[in-house]
C-alpha cells in the first residue's frame, strides 16, 4: 500500500496527541477472543446447550457463530452472553467462505471429528502472518487413525469407526492444534496423549470448559496433556470467558506510550507478566493488582532486546504494538519474532511514518529511537498490526487514517469508544470512493 492512500471503505481517523498531552482514565477488558473461539468449537463436541458469559462482541465471534449454524447449531447472543445449541449440529462440512475468513475455524475440525468422525474443510484463512500450514492437524488426525484426502483445495479427514487413542508429539508448539486435539480426543476410543503442547491461558480455559461438561482432561497448562475417553454431560451453569490478555496488553502499551495513570481493569496481571517485565526494563512505572494494571509514560524510555515466545514468554500478538513503543525509546532495540515468519512486514509502514527500523530477515529487526512520527494514511494488514498503527497514529504529528478498520474489529470490541474514553481523538469514517 502506498503511503497516502487507503484501500477500504471503513477507516479510523486518529489525531495525534499534542505536546505534553496525556491519555488517562480506565479501560475495561473484554473476554478473550482466543479463549471464546475454541470454547465455542468445544460446545459443538459437547452437544446440548452451552451458555457463555463475558463474550467479547467482536467480528470473529460472529463468524464462529455462523460456522456453527452452518453445521446445524443455533447461536444467540445478547449483551455479552451467548447461548450455543448444538443438539442438531451434525454437519460435517465447514462453510468454505466463512472458514476462509477465520484461522480459528480449524478448531471446529476437532469438534466435528469428535461428533461425526468425518470433516471437510478448506485451508483456513485469517491473518496473513506467514505460511500458517495445517500439517500438525492432518498429521495428528492420522496418528489417531483417521485418513486424510485432498480435493480442490479442500481437505477431508475421516475415521469410519471414530478416532482411536494415541500419542501426538507436536513438532512445533501450536495453540490451535493443542486445542483441536483436546476437543477431538474427548471422543476417541482410547487415551490421547498430547506432547509439546501450548501452555497459553486460553488452552487452560478450554480444558476447564470441557471438564465442566464431563471431559476427563489433565495436564493443561503444562507441555503434556492427557485426555481420557469422556462422556459429556452438558452443564447448564454459564461459563465465563477469561479476560483477553492481548487486549489488556495493547492498552497497557498505549499507557506506556502516552498515558498518565491509565488503569487497565478486569484483566489478569499474571497473564501479561512477560509484557510487564519488558516494560519495567524500559523504565515504565506500573502499579499492578491481581486484576488491574495502572501505567504511565515515563520521562524517557530505555531500549530493549525483545524476543517473542510461546506463553509464558512474550506474546507474538503484542510484538507490533510494542515495536511502536520502541520507536520512542532511547537507543537501539532489537526484535526477534520466533513464532511467525511474516510478522515484521508492518514495519515498512512505521518507517514511512518516520521510524528508524531495519529489518535484517523475516525474523529480526532493529529499531533506533526516539524518532518523531508523522501522520500517514495506511492500511492495517492484520488485527494486531492494525492496532499498532492506531498507537503510532496516536503519538504522531497530525491526523492519520488507518484503513482496514474491519480487521481491528475482529479482535477489539468498540475500539474507538474505549480510546475516546481515554481522551484520544479517533473516529470511524467511510471513504467516499
Ligand atoms: N504451525 C505449523 N503447522 C501447523 C500449525 C501451526 O507449522 O499445522 C506453526 C505456525 O506456522 C507458527 C507456529 O506453528 O509458526 C505457531 O502457530 P500457532 O498454531 O500456535 O498459531 P495459531 O494457533 O494459528 C494462535 C492465535 C494467534 C496467535 C498464535 C500464537 C487463536 C485463535 N489464534 O494462532 O492469534 O498469534 O496462536 O500465539 O488462538 C490474534 O489473535 O491476532 C492471533 C493471530
Amino acid at each position: 500500500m502506498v503511503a497516502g492512500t487507503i484501500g477500504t471503505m471503513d477507516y479510523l481517523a486518529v489525531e495525534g496527541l499534542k505536546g505534553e498531552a496525556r491519555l488517562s482514565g480506565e479501560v475495561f477488558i473484554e473476554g478473550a477472543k482466543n479463549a471464546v473461539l475454541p470454547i465455542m468449537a468445544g460446545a459443538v463436541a459437547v452437544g446440548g446447550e452451552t451458555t457463555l458469559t463475558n463474550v467479547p462482541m467482536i467480528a470473529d465471534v460472529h463468524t464462529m457463530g455462523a460456522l456453527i449454524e452452518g453445521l446445524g447449531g443455533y447461536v444467540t447472543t445478547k449483551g455479552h452472553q451467548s447461548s450455543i445449541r448444538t443438539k442438531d449440529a451434525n454437519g460435517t462440512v465447514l462453510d468454505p467462505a466463512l472458514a476462509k475468513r477465520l484461522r480459528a475455524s480449524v478448531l471446529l475440525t476437532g469438534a466435528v471429528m469428535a461428533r461425526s468422525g468425518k470433516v471437510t474443510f478448506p485451508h483456513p484463512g485469517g491473518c496473513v502472518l506467514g505460511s500458517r500450514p495445517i500439517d500438525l492437524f492432518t498429521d495428528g488426525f492420522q496418528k489417531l487413525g483417521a485418513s486424510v484426502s485432498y480435493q480442490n483445495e479442500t481437505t477431508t479427514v475421516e475415521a469410519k469407526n471414530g478416532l482411536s487413542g494415541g500419542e501426538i508429539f507436536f513438532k512445533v508448539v501450536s495453540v490451535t492444534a493443542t486445542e483441536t486435539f483436546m476437543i477431538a480426543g474427548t471422543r476417541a476410543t482410547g487415551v490421547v496423549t498430547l506432547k509439546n503442547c501450548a501452555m497459553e491461558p486460553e488452552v487452560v480455559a478450554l480444558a476447564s470448559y470441557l471438564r465442566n461438561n464431563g471431559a476427563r482432561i489433565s495436564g493443561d497448562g503444562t507441555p503434556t496433556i492427557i485426555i481420557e475417553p469422556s462422556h459429556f454431560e452438558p452443564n447448564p451453569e454459564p461459563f465465563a470467558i477469561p479476560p483477553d490478555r492481548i487486549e489488556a496488553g495493547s492498552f497497557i502499551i498505549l499507557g506506556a506510550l502516552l498515558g498518565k495513570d491509565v488503569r487497565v481493569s478486569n484483566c489478569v496481571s499474571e497473564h501479561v507478566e512477560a509484557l510487564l517485565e519488558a516494560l519495567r526494563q524500559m523504565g515504565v512505572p506500573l502499579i499492578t493488582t491481581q486484576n488491574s494494571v495502572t501505567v504511565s509514560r515515563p520521562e524517557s524510555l530505555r531500549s530493549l532486546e525483545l524476543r517473542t515466545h510461546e506463553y509464558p514468554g512474550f506474546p507474538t500478538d503484542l510484538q507490533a504494538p510494542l515495536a511502536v513503543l520502541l520507536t520512542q525509546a532511547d537507543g537501539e532495540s532489537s526484535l526477534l519474532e520466533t513464532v511467525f515468519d511474516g510478522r515484521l512486514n508492518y514495519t515498512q509502514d512505521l518507517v514511512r511514518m518516520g521510524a528508524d527500523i531495519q529489518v535484517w530477515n523475516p525474523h529480526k529487526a532493529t529499531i533506533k529511537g526516539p524518532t518523531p512520527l508523522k501522520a500517514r494514511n495506511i492500511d492495517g494488514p492484520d488485527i494486531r498490526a492494525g492496532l499498532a498503527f492506531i498507537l503510532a497514529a496516536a503519538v504522531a504529528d497530525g491526523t492519520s487514517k488507518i484503513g482496514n478498520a474491519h480487521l481491528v474489529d475482529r479482535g477489539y470490541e468498540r475500539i474507538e469508544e474505549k480510546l475516546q474514553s481515554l481522551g484520544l481523538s479517533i473516529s470511524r469514517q467511510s471513504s467516499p470512493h
Side-chain angles (χ1 to χ4, degrees):
M1 190 84 239
V2 177
T5 63
I6 49 171
T8 55
M9 295 298 280
D10 245 14
Y11 64 86
L12 294 164
V14 182
E15 194 183 322
L17 235 60
K18 293 191 178 69
E20 297 298 301
R22 290 288 176 258
L23 302 174
S24 64
E26 184 167 20
V27 61
F28 289 90
I29 298 308
E30 311 299 331
K33 166 175 92 70
N34 292 345
V36 72
L37 297 176
I39 288 171
M40 289 175 82
V44 173
V46 166
E49 181 164 353
T50 281
T51 302
L52 302 176
T53 57
N54 202 32
V55 174
M57 287 299 102
I58 51 175
D60 277 13
V61 168
H62 301 305
T63 307
M64 191 58 133
L67 275 159
I68 292 173
E69 294 201 332
L71 294 170
Y74 187 60
V75 181
T76 51
T77 300
K78 203 172 162 209
H80 287 100
Q81 183 162 317
S82 288
S83 147
I84 304 167
R85 268 176 263 163
T86 59
K87 189 166 74 66
D88 300 319
N90 294 317
T92 59
V93 180
L94 301 192
D95 181 292
L98 292 170
K100 281 185 182 158
R101 251 196 250 166
L102 186 66
R103 170 82 188 180
S105 61
V106 75
L107 291 158
L108 284 168
T109 64
V112 175
M113 281 304 288
R115 229 178 134 129
S116 309
K118 181 174 180 185
V119 64
T120 299
F121 60 102
H123 192 90
C127 291
V128 184
L129 309 173
S131 46
R132 302 195 90 177
I134 57 162
D135 55 326
L136 296 178
F137 299 86
T138 49
D139 291 356
F141 283 125
Q142 282 170 326
K143 291 228 169 85
L144 301 185
S147 64
V148 177
S149 57
Y150 305 92
Q151 201 179 21
N152 301 333
E153 297 179 22
T154 298
T155 304
T156 296
V157 180
E158 188 166 11
K160 287 213 166 64
N161 301 315
L163 294 169
S164 61
E167 186 172 304
I168 301 174
F169 183 93
F170 296 114
K171 63 181 181 201
V172 182
V173 177
S174 162
V175 177
T176 45
T178 301
E179 293 165 342
T180 297
F181 287 100
M182 281 163 67
I183 298 170
T186 54
R187 300 309 302 277
T189 53
V191 174
V192 174
T193 304
L194 307 178
K195 291 187 171 170
N196 201 24
C197 294
M199 301 190 286
E200 269 66 0
E202 294 77 23
V203 170
V204 175
L206 171 65
S208 307
Y209 164 75
L210 292 171
R211 269 195 297 268
N212 271 1
N213 288 279
R216 296 198 293 159
I217 298 179
S218 58
D220 46 295
T222 78
T224 303
I225 297 177
I226 294 169
I227 306 126
E228 293 173 69
S230 310
H231 177 71
F232 284 121
E233 285 167 27
N235 188 336
E237 286 295 307
F239 184 87
I241 302 301
D244 194 314
R245 64 196 167 90
I246 306 300
E247 187 196 13
S250 304
F251 281 103
I252 293 168
I253 293 171
L254 175 68
L257 187 67
L258 283 167
K260 169 102 181 61
D261 297 330
V262 167
R263 187 174 149 90
V264 179
S265 302
N266 191 31
C267 60
V268 179
S269 316
E270 196 192 333
H271 291 172
V272 287
E273 262 186 322
L275 169 66
L276 299 180
E277 182 53 29
L279 294 178
R280 279 190 200 100
Q281 282 180 32
M282 293 182 74
V284 175
L286 299 164
I287 303 167
T288 61
T289 69
Q290 230 175 343
N291 47 24
S292 76
V293 177
T294 304
V295 53
S296 299
R297 160 101 190 216
E299 272 194 14
S300 64
L301 290 157
R302 290 194 286 272
S303 59
L304 188 75
E305 283 179 19
L306 184 79
R307 182 192 173 96
T308 63
H309 196 276
E310 295 86 21
Y311 189 85
F314 190 94
T316 171
D317 290 339
L318 290 177
Q319 180 254 109
L322 197 84
V324 173
L325 187 65
L326 294 176
T327 67
Q328 304 307 305
D330 294 327
E332 183 171 305
S333 297
S334 63
L335 278 184
L336 192 60
E337 168 57 56
T338 69
V339 180
F340 291 110
D341 55 17
R343 227 180 187 178
L344 291 176
N345 299 339
Y346 72 90
T347 55
Q348 296 166 12
D349 281 312
L350 291 185
V351 169
R352 289 191 189 110
M353 294 181 79
D356 183 351
I357 304 178
Q358 173 83 42
V359 176
W360 300 97
N361 61 45
H363 293 277
K364 188 172 164 60
T366 44
I367 303 178
K368 284 190 193 142
T371 48
L373 300 183
K374 296 180 288 290
R376 280 275 183 269
N377 295 344
I378 47 180
D379 276 342
D382 64 76
I383 305 175
R384 311 301 172 188
L387 191 283
F389 289 169
I390 295 175
L391 302 192
V395 84
D397 183 19
T399 299
S400 302
K401 292 176 182 172
I402 311 299
N404 284 345
H406 67 280
L407 291 181
V408 176
D409 296 337
R410 286 189 46 204
Y412 294 89
E413 181 181 319
R414 292 175 290 116
I415 185 66
E416 63 266 43
E417 199 183 300
K418 290 190 182 191
L419 290 167
Q420 282 160 2
S421 79
L422 296 177
L424 187 68
S425 172
I426 176 170
S427 60
R428 186 175 292 254
Q429 297 175 9
S430 292
S431 299
H433 62 87

